[in-house]
Amino acid sequence: MTFEIVFVLVAAFGAGFVDAMAGGGGLIQLPALFAAFPQAPHTTLLGTGKLAGLAGTTSAIFRFIRHVRLDWSLVLSAAAGAFLAALVGAWIATRFSPAQFRALVPLLLSFVLLYTLLHRDLGREHRPRRHGRRGRLLAAASAGLIGLYDGFFGPGTGSFLVFLFVRVFGLYFLHASASAKVVNAAANVAAILLFGLTGELYWLLGLAMAASNVAGAQCGSHLAIRGGSALVRKVFLGVVGALITKTAWDAARLYL
């Protein structure tokens, strides 16, 4: 087994662990793929990473739903919007490189971090709101915007979704994290379908990474359930802070 393979498998485990708790696994997994296989087409690496991420996310969903009651009408509406938009985003990725848009990511994440820090009670109480048809339409539209970004690039998607469910729909962090997993899985399926049809994925590598990602996701979701919303909030803040640093550095390197 080559060093590159071991490297991405370890990264996949770490990505699954972090992503299951608060999103942000793409911070670990996608850069590892690009570093290990710098000559590969970016769409191939994006699709391979999403194949691994889908497995870990799905395994985390099954663990979460045994302990957390989800509002399925809201979550599935968001998932449908994310799925359709991610198809479009993945198609855009086959036409353009995401490098030109990287500078926007740390700015958006900085807003998420600052808002969460300033509103200390955000996500600490479970007060679901915006039910009914209007709420489902809002969920589909807002998750669609995030799904568009996920299909096109991806890092930070889970954190954006967690923030959406906490801020807009009044869920506390544990419920928001569980809900975000379902929506993220739908977006990943869409991207995998399009990347698989329009290019070549590293299927064997993706499946091996998927196994590592599942192992990490099971550990992460178990810890999240035991630690509750308070722990997930702390991990969320740490992940978003790390995402800001990493994405800002990547964007700066384009102009240095």
Side-chain angles (χ1 to χ4, degrees):
M1 188 179 290
T2 64
F3 170 78
E4 288 82 5
I5 301 297
V6 174
F7 176 64
V8 295
L9 290 180
V10 172
F13 179 90
F17 183 88
V18 170
D19 206 55
M21 297 192 71
L27 168 71
I28 301 170
Q29 188 161 267
L30 195 59
L33 277 167
F34 275 89
F37 306 101
Q39 304 304 318
H42 72 278
T43 52
T44 296
L45 299 181
L46 285 172
T48 302
K50 289 185 183 301
L51 178 62
L54 174 62
T57 299
T58 303
S59 72
I61 290 170
F62 283 111
R63 180 179 283 272
F64 271 121
I65 61 177
R66 294 200 300 268
H67 300 273
V68 179
R69 181 177 295 180
L70 301 183
D71 181 346
W72 285 106
S73 64
L74 182 72
V75 171
L76 292 179
S77 296
F83 178 87
L84 295 174
L87 283 173
V88 178
W91 178 81
I92 295 173
T94 66
R95 299 293 187 270
F96 304 97
S97 169
Q100 301 170 359
F101 300 89
R102 287 182 178 176
L104 292 175
V105 179
L107 296 178
L108 293 173
L109 287 168
S110 295
F111 167 77
V112 169
L113 179 64
L114 183 62
Y115 190 96
T116 306
L117 287 172
L118 290 176
H119 295 75
R120 299 183 63 85
D121 292 333
L122 185 70
R124 293 184 182 274
E125 295 184 6
H126 191 57
R127 295 181 178 176
R129 55 181 179 267
R130 301 182 190 274
H131 292 295
R133 184 170 181 269
R134 182 173 296 181
R136 292 193 295 272
L137 289 174
L138 177 61
S142 51
L145 289 174
I146 299 173
L148 181 72
Y149 164 74
D150 186 53
F152 181 66
F153 189 38
T157 296
S159 299
F160 288 132
L161 287 169
V162 170
F163 183 77
L164 169 69
F165 281 112
V166 170
R167 175 63 185 87
V168 178
F169 296 103
L171 307 188
Y172 71 7
F173 272 97
L174 185 61
H175 279 70
S177 182
S179 301
K181 299 293 166 288
V182 179
V183 180
N184 209 350
N188 281 346
V189 168
I192 291 166
L193 285 173
L194 196 133
F195 288 138
L197 290 173
T198 59
E200 247 185 78
L201 306 187
Y202 294 153
W203 290 102
L204 290 178
L205 176 63
L207 291 173
M209 291 177 65
S212 293
N213 200 285
V214 166
Q218 287 295 300
C219 294
S221 56
H222 175 72
L223 188 60
I225 291 166
R226 290 193 63 183
S229 190
L231 176 62
V232 175
R233 186 181 192 273
K234 292 176 183 177
V235 175
F236 173 81
L237 290 171
V239 168
V240 171
L243 276 166
I244 292 170
T245 303
K246 179 65 172 64
T247 54
W249 171 249
D250 288 343
R253 288 173 60 190
L254 297 175
Y255 302 100
L256 293 178

